[in-house]
Amino acid sequence: MSEVLKVKEVKQQFYTRRGIYKALNGIELELRKGEVFGIAGESGSGKSTLGLTIMGLLPRNASVTSGSVLLDGKDVIAPLREYATKSNQKFNFRRNENVIKKMNRELSTIRGNKVAMVFQDPMTSLNPVLQVGYQVAETMLVHQPRTLAMRRLARANAKRSDLNEALKVLRATESDEKALEDFFRNKGLEGLTEQVISIWRRKDLADAKKEKMILSLHSEKLSWFDRFVLNAVKEKGNLPSWLSKTPILSRYTRRVLLKEGYLKALELLSTLEVPNADKVIRMYPHELSGGMRQRIVIAIALANNPELVIMDEPTSALDVTVQAQILELVRHLKVKFNTSFIFISHDLSVLSEVCDRIGIMYGGRIVEIAPTKEIFDNPMHPYTKFLIAAIPTLEEKEIQEIGGAVPDMRFPPSGCMFHPRCPYIMEICRERVPDMIQVSKDHYVACFLYSGDNK
């Protein structure tokens, strides 16, 4: 199975007035295509920091001293690491900020396109003064204007007979998207596949209504000037320089593409089972519930079909029923888009519902990785055992708490980070950091209890 992401020996720290906060201390992680990988741990263990480091979304006081994050063949954190290793002087906030700005410019074509992130609080992730449909459409306008142009031109070029044949293909192949894609490609109407499929798979419409909507796709007329600018975007793949340098033409083209983006947003929200999606796209974030806002944020993340989506505590602020809907949605998206997910949560019971593998984080390191069933049936690291024992159940048993507290990462303990709280502590635990060793297929643990060096 191919790798989408590879994180290797990443060490990252923050410079603060109270000292250097060592947030990540040698993270190792590999993510496979189409996999949902869960990351669990207490608050302060470095889960969210890991997600932000993968995205390259770091503040001016962040320094990466070693390691690499390979995403789409590009080392995301290379500029920061190179600056930290070359600079032998005292940390300079202004110079570091300039490096981060340069890194942000380099990553602008990857963020939102190849990798996207769903943040913890959807209300603070959305712009309160913009319609949610605009916010979904905008990310496509930035990264895939050619796709929007192709969609609009395909509807203008389609004939009713083409759409009738498409319906026959759908019935004959039992809704095979690949067969429909091949059919439209042969007709020179590639932009229609997604639009037809999104209508055909809507659960809130009767079959007769679906067919009527599909057959009506060809009825939209296109002015000669709209056709001219859309063809220019299609051929160039972006706004041509002569368009972007002419303010009036640039604004007009953006307006045409955004209109198509709203239709794409409508399709996405329908896929995410948002009721009355045609009305929702014209609403503002404050008019929606927490669960609906979370769906909007997920729609923005998925708008460009990214290879990787990082979800940071996406269910923590939601009630139990909405939480269940979001988890079911993640399972559905994994199958539909074959997208890889990193699902960050402090709640192991939530991760057990959706994840293929789970990594346990403590003190800025991953201390155990295993398939979901394996990590619950056979937890090996003492910290993992404590986390599982602390999960509330319907059975009559005493919930065990983990003694002690998460270490102050300005002054982390020597050796194994968990040794001050571990009941199985040995002398070697105070002296050395345990290596990650394989104990069975896909099961890795960093603990001297299993390394053979426990004397």
Side-chain angles (χ1 to χ4, degrees):
M1 194 177 292
S2 59
E3 293 176 356
V4 174
L5 170 74
K6 188 167 185 177
V7 181
K8 189 173 181 181
E9 276 298 318
V10 171
K11 294 183 179 180
Q12 189 256 320
Q13 56 195 24
F14 297 102
Y15 285 82
T16 70
R17 291 178 180 177
R18 296 185 177 182
I20 301 173
Y21 189 92
K22 299 174 179 63
L24 302 179
N25 299 288
I27 290 288
E28 293 271 359
L29 171 64
E30 292 180 359
L31 184 67
R32 301 159 186 168
K33 182 71 174 174
E35 177 183 40
V36 180
F37 185 88
I39 298 178
E42 295 171 279
S43 296
S45 59
K47 307 185 300 297
S48 296
T49 302
L50 173 58
L52 293 170
T53 302
I54 292 171
M55 292 288 294
L57 292 171
L58 295 171
R60 66 195 293 263
N61 66 330
S63 174
V64 176
T65 56
S66 69
S68 60
V69 176
L70 295 175
L71 179 66
D72 194 36
K74 182 178 180 64
D75 187 354
V76 173
I77 59 173
L80 272 179
R81 185 190 64 246
E82 290 167 4
Y83 171 72
T85 53
K86 286 179 182 178
S87 177
N88 298 320
Q89 302 175 355
K90 185 178 178 181
F91 183 82
N92 187 297
F93 287 92
R94 181 169 293 179
R95 289 178 184 173
N96 197 62
E97 185 178 21
N98 291 334
V99 173
I100 290 175
K101 287 180 179 178
K102 179 184 176 183
M103 184 176 74
N104 287 336
R105 288 193 294 270
E106 293 175 356
L107 295 178
S108 62
T109 58
I110 294 178
R111 292 191 196 128
N113 192 21
K114 298 291 184 180
V115 59
M117 190 165 184
V118 177
F119 296 96
Q120 190 166 348
D121 184 0
M123 193 59 190
T124 57
S125 303
L126 296 169
N127 191 322
V129 299
L130 296 176
Q131 293 178 346
V132 295
Y134 178 91
Q135 296 185 58
V136 178
E138 186 181 37
T139 187
M140 285 204 70
L141 176 64
V142 171
H143 293 291
Q144 295 190 24
R146 183 173 185 270
T147 300
L148 294 177
M150 287 177 64
R151 285 167 53 92
R152 185 64 187 91
L153 287 168
R155 288 204 309 280
N157 295 333
K159 300 176 183 176
R160 187 181 177 90
S161 58
D162 296 327
L163 296 167
N164 266 316
E165 288 183 55
L167 286 172
K168 292 177 183 177
V169 171
L170 282 172
R171 296 190 193 100
T173 60
E174 298 182 351
S175 307
D176 184 357
E177 192 169 339
K178 182 67 170 62
L180 187 67
E181 187 177 340
D182 292 339
F183 169 78
F184 279 129
R185 187 183 296 110
N186 292 334
K187 293 278 186 178
L189 303 170
E190 295 95 327
L192 272 178
T193 306
E194 193 176 43
Q195 300 175 68
V196 170
I197 285 290
S198 67
I199 295 173
W200 188 254
R201 290 182 174 167
R202 284 181 63 172
K203 297 178 181 178
D204 59 329
L205 298 176
D207 289 347
K209 178 67 173 176
K210 292 178 187 177
E211 293 184 10
K212 185 177 180 181
M213 288 178 67
I214 290 172
L215 291 174
S216 68
L217 288 175
H218 80 289
S219 61
E220 293 185 46
K221 304 301 180 184
L222 195 62
S223 70
W224 69 268
F225 189 71
D226 285 358
R227 188 183 291 273
F228 173 70
V229 295
L230 288 173
N231 273 315
V233 173
K234 179 183 175 181
E235 291 172 10
K236 183 71 175 177
N238 209 326
L239 265 68
S241 57
W242 59 269
L243 264 178
S244 57
K245 290 178 180 178
T246 311
I248 190 170
L249 290 179
S250 176
R251 287 196 297 271
Y252 184 84
T253 306
R254 282 176 56 88
R255 195 178 302 121
V256 173
L257 293 173
L258 276 172
K259 185 178 179 181
E260 186 61 36
Y262 266 84
L263 293 177
K264 169 68 176 177
L266 174 60
E267 293 170 14
L268 267 173
L269 297 189
S270 298
T271 300
L272 299 179
E273 298 181 4
V274 172
N276 302 314
D278 54 333
K279 296 179 181 178
V280 171
I281 60 172
R282 301 290 175 184
M283 296 172 75
Y284 293 86
H286 71 273
E287 298 178 276
L288 304 173
S289 66
M292 292 279 275
R293 286 196 291 262
Q294 195 64 280
R295 280 177 161 81
I296 302 300
V297 174
I298 293 172
I300 294 171
L302 293 172
N304 296 304
N305 295 331
E307 296 177 4
L308 169 62
V309 176
I310 302 171
M311 307 186 84
D312 185 8
E313 303 265 14
T315 61
S316 62
L318 307 176
D319 60 58
V320 176
T321 54
V322 178
Q323 186 179 99
Q325 293 171 4
I326 297 297
L327 295 178
E328 180 59 37
L329 179 62
V330 172
R331 283 192 288 266
H332 168 71
L333 295 174
K334 174 192 169 184
V335 175
K336 178 175 174 59
F337 294 100
N338 196 28
T339 300
S340 301
F341 290 86
I342 292 179
F343 199 110
I344 298 170
S345 178
H346 63 276
D347 191 342
L348 272 171
S349 59
V350 168
L351 297 181
S352 68
E353 295 288 327
V354 293
C355 296
D356 300 302
R357 290 189 301 151
I358 294 176
I360 306 296
M361 276 194 75
Y362 186 83
R365 286 176 61 88
I366 295 181
V367 297
E368 186 168 3
I369 296 177
T372 301
K373 187 175 186 305
E374 176 77 7
I375 213 159
F376 281 92
D377 292 347
N378 185 30
M380 304 195 76
H381 197 280
Y383 181 59
T384 309
K385 293 177 181 179
F386 280 127
L387 285 180
I388 293 173
I391 298 174
T393 66
L394 295 176
E395 301 174 7
E396 293 185 6
K397 71 168 188 176
E398 183 179 352
I399 297 175
Q400 299 180 26
E401 65 176 18
I402 306 175
V406 175
D408 183 347
M409 298 309 293
R410 292 172 301 164
F411 312 103
S414 60
C416 175
M417 292 282 186
F418 190 61
H419 86 253
R421 307 170 71 183
C422 183
Y424 310 104
I425 183 173
M426 299 173 287
E427 190 59 37
I428 193 173
C429 301
R430 296 187 177 93
E431 299 170 355
R432 285 173 48 194
V433 177
D435 295 323
M436 186 74 80
I437 60 170
Q438 185 172 4
V439 291
S440 63
K441 184 181 179 182
D442 277 347
H443 194 161
Y444 300 84
V445 64
C447 183
F448 289 116
L449 290 172
Y450 312 100
S451 68
D453 296 330
N454 52 5
K455 296 180 181 179

